[in-house]
Structure formats: C-alpha cells, structure tokens
Amino acid sequence: MSDVRHVLVLPDRDAAKEAVEALGERFGIDEEPQLVRDALAGEDDAEDAQWLVVLRDEKERLDPAELDAFAGEWDGWREEP
C-alpha cells in the first residue's frame, strides 16, 4: 500500500470547506480530507493564512491535473510533492 497524498492550497477557510464538500461529489473520495491552516512565514494575522486540504490517495486513482483544475475553481492550486 502506498502513502500518496495530494495537497490542495486554498486562499481561505471558506474556500477550503467548500472544496472539501465538493471533493466527495466530484471525485467520490471515501475518506474525509484533512484541513490544515498554513500561516505564511512570519505572519500571525489570520488574514494572511492559506488553508491546505490534504487528501490520501493510497490507490493512486486521483488525477493530479484534475485536482489542480479543481483547486483553481477556488483560486487555489495543487502543491507538487
């Protein structure tokens, strides 16, 4: 079993929550993605935080290009490992 993970970087918490809800519908993922607040270096202000959506893809069935386009719908992107 592999430990493939995809990380989607989104501009704010609302976008991340919306993306998590849409992920299940669009990609049929079984496991709930993990939401992580990623403060920018040296910033304490919540306004300067990005949100990460971490997806496990042990069966390697998610297409990285499709995930990147998906994240782009919320002005985000897929981070390369």
Side-chain angles (χ1 to χ4, degrees):
M1 184 182 305
S2 68
D3 188 28
V4 175
R5 295 176 191 259
H6 301 281
V7 178
L8 307 181
V9 182
L10 299 162
D12 57 48
R13 184 178 186 158
D14 290 339
K17 284 185 171 186
E18 288 176 23
V20 165
E21 289 178 20
L23 276 166
E25 295 171 16
R26 179 139 353 144
F27 296 100
I29 59 170
D30 298 328
E31 187 175 322
E32 182 79 16
Q34 181 181 13
L35 281 177
V36 179
R37 181 180 177 269
D38 183 35
L40 300 176
E43 298 294 333
D44 293 329
D45 189 352
E47 296 296 318
D48 293 324
Q50 295 172 325
W51 283 79
L52 308 178
V53 176
V54 181
L55 303 161
R56 288 183 29 179
D57 185 20
E58 294 171 352
K59 297 178 183 173
E60 298 184 44
R61 62 181 190 85
L62 299 173
D63 180 348
E66 287 182 29
L67 289 172
D68 191 38
F70 175 82
E73 295 175 22
W74 286 274
D75 296 324
W77 65 89
R78 180 184 159 274
E79 190 70 27
E80 288 294 327

